[in-house]
Amino acid sequence: MVTERSLGDVLGTVPVAGVHPEVNWVRVEIEAPHLIPALRALMAHGWVFAGIVVEEDGERAPWRLTYLLGADRAPWVGVEIWVHEDALASVSSVLFAADWQEREAEDLYGIEFRGHPFPGDFALHEGSFPAFAPMRRSISPAPPPRPRPAPRIVDAPGGFTLPVGPVFSGVQESVQFLLETVGEEIIFAHVRLFYKFRAAEKTMEGRTPDDAILIAERVDGTAAFAHGLAFAQAVEALARARVPERARALRVLFAELERIRSHVAALTAILESTGLSVPASLLATQVERLLEISGEFTGHRYLMGLMTPGGLRADLSDADAGAVARRVRHGVEAVDEIYGRLTFDESFLDRLEAVGRVSPEEAATFGAVGPVARASNLSRDLRAAQPYSGYEGWRFDVPVEKEGDGYARWRVLMAEVHESARLLEQVAGALPPGPVRAGVPPTGGVALGFAEAPTGALVYWVRTDPAGQITRCRIITPGLANWHVFPTAVRSFAFQDLPIILATFGLSVADADR
Amino acid sequence: MAWFARGLRQGVDAMDDDSRAPVSPGLSPGRPLPTPAGQMDDASLCPTGALEVRAGVTVPDYARCVQCLRCVRAGAPIRWEQSYRWAVSRTGALGPAFRRSIHVRVLDAGDCGACLAEVRQLTSPVYSLHRFGIFVTPTPRNADVLMVVGPVTRAMRTAMRETYAAMPEPRRVIATGTCALTGGVFAKSVAVEGAVSRVIPVDVEIPGCPPPPLAILHGLHLLMGREGPGRPDPR
């Protein structure tokens, strides 16, 4: 196990300008040329890349970039560099997981990542921002983003690109696929995200945490509680506030309720994509029942409005918690009955088995998180790796499957539903007494908040001014990481497999686009 | 065949029409009613500016309310109704030819996922949209109604305009959810246009963050001329 003190040993011969312990992470300050060796050294010791935080700072240079890495039961590390011009060296050639985050920063901040292996249009589409980089503080000095050709890999006779989206299919989030093909088979799928870019990070700037949490909850409305939790924990860490025990336990209860609902909805979507309408309808009914439980006991079907820095805005009585657990158990049993029948349905299994395979190496290279990573034999779960909100006190397992195909993801989702129900029952039966909310004084500083959202690791990186107002909030979502690996899974599959593979990934576009 | 038999054994999960009248718990988040103002500064309790005190009455603006319940939880004497007939028609129904069946193109203009999830729930057996003759269609060419969710991001403006242009007349637009009505919590975002009505004409507005499936259904029935409008807008 690595401690803050031993970070010096980890970094070895890399010249470090300073190691500064922050509230709940360690800031390693280095000169820009030493960035790649530093990242390499950390990754060799088990740290995993989480994200890049770009700040228009001006304190010592125009740009401050923090490369955030997490590890299993070791402190989060942020490698900080200062950049004096609107360009810096790309790290994607050695750290491929950073690929999309560099391209995002390039488009949204108008800074160039030199030597990026696959530069190309990414976050700005069809002249949505004709004259400025949208995340910059001021409009005038920013150069317009460079126009770039659409990506193209296939160069064969009869090869063409089939565009799908952003408006397509039935009730579907807006995203575009550019499918390169020579006929039946998808040779490569380019995913064009950011049609739903709402600039959530920038809209949170200049607001109090109480105001900003309304936006955090609506970054991904289907994982509103996880987003609220990650954000609230960042604000609580800043103020070194103690959250009452009862609120910590109830947060686990609601987070697991949300996970169960989200996973059952994902299972429903998989069934719909394979055309099995009877079991899909039976599961859709259970999703509705879970939404009704949320609505009845918290006032909101998607658990919004409940979270606040310092605890929860409403209590749940012990009796009600027991009722929630009982009704959820009933729902999970109904889902399990359908799941059991499907295990013997060959036409269903044929559509999932060996389809959309992601190898453990690919999952690690792309930095996959959540059920997608766990179906590819990567046991990554923040609830176990970096326990928060008292998860260390409850018993649960992290289900892992080896194959990395659609069927493995299907099984991981169901196994996690069972684990979440088990957690929910433990918590409901042992709620500590007391208040559910404590005061959080406005504090300046920088801190991390993180939670395992239903779709994977979610990190909020929050910097505030002394009055407690947010000056920068970086949201590192599971969607951004898992959409990155998705094209690998559909490579060399027929067109009709695309919706099925997409469904087994259970991705949210809103969450990736922010 | 085995699934067919299993489906039959399930029986009917759909709510019948009459049971919707008093809303059972969990179907709707509810919303504030105009209430005589209390001792507290009710307006300042609302983080989205949806409450205004006028002549001693606290009046809610449903196009801004996001159902965060902060006013109620702070102890303000705001009355909260458990209802769902929230849709408001701006231009009137589609006409008698559409009373029995319509086709809807659902368009995501940047929603957070909650509105879209509620629209998706409508097709579950519990709400069973199809029994009302309402169908979701993948193509705007077949659509009578465009249902837009989300605050209309800059990148989706063109796609939304073109989807609307591809629809045959007569056509109607439903703006679904607080974001589609005013931009919601993203109203001040640099990347967001705000209301759908700034880009294409809107016929029916359904407030709520997100509006529950029953409220969305009310909006569709309103367009088909099957139901009267809900409570008039207090403003």
Side-chain angles (χ1 to χ4, degrees):
Chain A
M1 187 170 151
V2 186
T3 62
E4 289 171 27
R5 211 174 301 127
S6 63
L7 255 183
D9 302 335
V10 169
L11 289 165
T13 55
V14 182
V16 174
V19 175
H20 316 275
E22 297 282 347
V23 193
N24 55 358
W25 60 291
V26 183
R27 183 161 56 91
V28 177
E29 204 187 323
I30 57 168
E31 300 288 334
H34 307 306
L35 176 62
I36 287 177
L39 294 175
R40 274 210 168 118
L42 283 162
M43 289 189 307
H45 285 81
W47 268 273
V48 175
F49 175 77
I52 304 175
V53 187
V54 180
E55 284 177 282
E56 201 174 347
D57 198 283
E59 189 187 313
R60 278 168 44 191
W63 301 101
R64 166 159 54 184
L65 277 84
T66 309
Y67 295 73
L68 208 56
L69 296 98
D72 199 340
R73 292 177 191 265
W76 291 82
V77 175
V79 181
E80 181 185 273
I81 59 167
W82 293 84
V83 180
H84 293 270
E85 47 180 336
D86 292 349
L88 69 153
S90 165
V91 300
S92 295
S93 51
V94 291
L95 180 56
F96 193 63
D99 167 28
W100 274 19
Q101 302 216 16
E102 287 192 340
R103 284 166 69 180
E104 180 197 335
E106 182 154 328
D107 278 3
L108 299 185
Y109 282 95
I111 50 177
E112 187 189 346
F113 287 84
R114 288 193 187 120
H116 191 289
F118 306 106
D121 101 309
F122 188 68
L124 306 175
H125 301 316
E126 281 96 49
S128 48
F129 292 89
F132 62 99
M135 291 292 284
R136 287 216 182 187
R137 290 262 154 77
S138 60
I139 291 171
S140 49
R146 285 162 297 153
R148 290 190 146 147
R152 187 77 189 264
I153 288 172
V154 178
D155 185 20
F160 64 96
T161 303
L162 180 75
V164 179
V167 180
F168 67 107
S169 184
V171 185
Q172 188 76 41
E173 285 193 278
S174 292
V175 57
Q176 191 176 47
F177 301 101
L178 301 177
L179 305 175
E180 290 201 56
T181 178
V182 285
E184 277 290 292
E185 199 176 88
I186 297 170
I187 294 172
F188 196 81
H190 302 275
V191 182
R192 293 182 86 213
L193 291 164
F194 284 88
Y195 277 97
K196 298 176 63 162
F197 173 59
R198 291 150 290 160
E201 293 177 3
K202 191 182 174 93
T203 312
M204 287 165 95
E205 288 173 10
R207 294 182 191 239
T208 61
D210 256 357
D211 259 1
I213 200 164
L214 289 172
I215 296 168
E217 285 176 332
R218 285 159 185 83
V219 169
D220 179 2
T222 55
F225 197 80
H227 277 263
L229 178 57
F231 176 75
Q233 286 180 347
V235 177
E236 287 151 9
L238 269 174
R240 294 174 172 78
R242 277 185 66 85
V243 179
E245 283 303 316
R246 188 178 180 82
R248 280 161 60 89
L250 280 173
R251 282 175 171 188
V252 172
L253 187 146
F254 290 127
E256 296 310 318
L257 174 60
E258 181 173 82
R259 193 180 322 277
I260 294 171
R261 190 244 301 144
S262 172
H263 280 11
V264 176
L267 295 170
T268 310
I270 295 173
L271 287 169
E272 271 168 9
S273 75
T274 57
L276 279 173
S277 51
V278 173
S281 295
L282 294 172
L283 285 200
T285 303
Q286 294 310 321
V287 177
E288 174 63 24
R289 299 292 174 243
L290 289 162
L291 286 167
E292 285 167 15
I293 295 170
S294 309
E296 183 175 338
F297 290 97
T298 72
H300 200 285
R301 284 158 61 91
Y302 292 84
L303 302 169
M304 293 175 187
L306 212 52
M307 184 62 68
T308 182
L312 294 171
R313 283 184 183 272
D315 197 358
L316 184 74
S317 74
D318 290 6
D320 282 353
V324 169
R326 262 195 313 281
R327 282 170 60 177
V328 168
R329 166 55 58 198
H330 190 70
V332 170
E333 279 165 9
V335 173
D336 199 45
E337 188 244 331
I338 310 296
Y339 179 86
R341 283 168 178 272
L342 285 160
T343 311
F344 302 100
D345 190 321
E346 277 179 36
S347 73
F348 172 67
L349 298 184
D350 276 351
R351 291 186 173 99
L352 293 186
E353 269 181 319
V355 169
R357 201 172 171 276
V358 178
S359 72
E361 297 74 33
E362 283 165 341
T365 305
F366 285 90
V369 294
V372 174
R374 296 192 280 272
S376 293
N377 209 15
L378 283 190
S379 181
R380 288 182 179 170
D381 189 326
L382 286 179
R383 293 174 298 171
Q386 296 279 344
Y388 55 90
S389 198
Y391 268 108
E392 64 276 15
W394 309 106
R395 286 184 313 281
F396 67 101
D397 293 321
V398 179
V400 172
E401 297 287 349
K402 289 196 175 64
E403 294 87 348
D405 60 354
Y407 188 44
R409 289 189 282 276
W410 164 265
R411 296 199 311 276
V412 164
L413 286 173
M414 189 65 219
E416 289 189 20
V417 167
H418 284 301
E419 288 305 318
S420 293
R422 187 176 151 204
L423 267 165
L424 204 151
E425 266 168 46
Q426 286 175 54
V427 177
L431 279 177
V436 292
R437 193 173 175 182
V440 178
T443 318
V446 55
L448 283 179
F450 46 87
E452 184 75 15
T455 49
L458 172 68
V459 182
Y460 272 68
W461 190 96
V462 178
R463 188 185 294 278
T464 55
D465 64 15
Q469 287 197 333
I470 293 162
T471 54
R472 174 84 175 101
C473 176
R474 171 72 174 149
I475 311 169
I476 299 164
T477 61
L480 198 62
N482 285 346
W483 272 109
H484 193 193
V485 70
F486 174 71
T488 311
V490 293
R491 194 180 284 181
S492 310
F493 282 96
F495 279 108
Q496 66 263 29
D497 288 324
L498 178 85
I500 298 175
I501 300 172
L502 189 58
T504 61
F505 269 69
L507 296 167
S508 159
V509 183
D511 166 277
D513 290 2
R514 284 153 287 139
Chain B
M1 199 59 199
W3 281 117
F4 178 70
R6 174 64 185 83
L8 281 183
R9 231 185 316 127
Q10 184 72 17
V12 178
D13 277 333
M15 282 176 222
D16 39 282
D17 253 358
D18 299 332
S19 71
R20 290 188 290 134
V23 175
S24 48
L27 292 183
S28 166
R31 63 178 187 178
L33 283 174
T35 315
Q39 300 292 311
M40 305 172 83
D41 179 6
D42 292 349
S44 74
L45 293 174
C46 183
T48 60
L51 294 180
E52 191 189 328
V53 180
R54 278 195 317 218
V57 179
T58 307
V59 187
D61 177 359
Y62 295 136
R64 290 181 196 282
C65 177
V66 293
Q67 274 89 19
C68 68
L69 285 159
R70 286 192 192 177
C71 49
V72 176
R73 285 180 179 149
I78 304 270
R79 284 191 298 149
W80 198 267
E81 62 165 0
Q82 289 300 327
S83 60
Y84 63 87
R85 286 195 168 82
W86 294 357
V88 181
S89 175
R90 297 286 174 214
T91 55
L94 260 167
F98 298 91
R99 258 186 112 89
R100 288 175 183 276
S101 178
I102 53 171
H103 281 68
V104 183
R105 167 73 240 190
V106 180
L107 187 133
D108 166 19
D111 91 311
C112 69
C115 284
L116 214 56
E118 292 292 53
V119 174
R120 208 170 281 138
Q121 270 326 102
L122 274 178
T123 59
S124 78
V126 179
Y127 299 99
S128 185
L129 190 68
H130 307 116
R131 69 188 154 143
F132 300 110
I134 304 169
F135 301 93
V136 175
T137 173
T139 161
R141 296 271 185 226
N142 284 348
D144 310 303
V145 176
L146 182 65
M147 176 176 279
V148 185
V149 293
V152 192
T153 57
R154 278 170 172 254
M156 282 306 290
R157 258 182 323 195
T158 313
M160 187 168 87
R161 243 189 239 119
E162 286 181 10
T163 306
Y164 180 68
M167 291 168 66
E169 299 271 8
R171 55 189 170 181
R172 293 287 188 274
V173 175
I174 305 184
T176 308
T178 304
C179 282
L181 299 187
T182 59
V185 299
F186 294 107
K188 287 180 183 159
S189 166
V190 65
V192 157
E193 193 70 39
V196 174
S197 58
R198 284 186 179 178
V199 185
I200 52 174
V202 168
D203 302 284
V204 167
E205 297 177 349
I206 310 175
C209 188
L214 288 176
I216 302 171
L217 203 53
H218 176 239
L220 290 163
H221 282 323
L222 212 56
L223 263 189
M224 296 169 86
R226 286 174 175 169
E227 263 199 69
R231 181 185 297 275
D233 208 328
R235 297 199 168 209

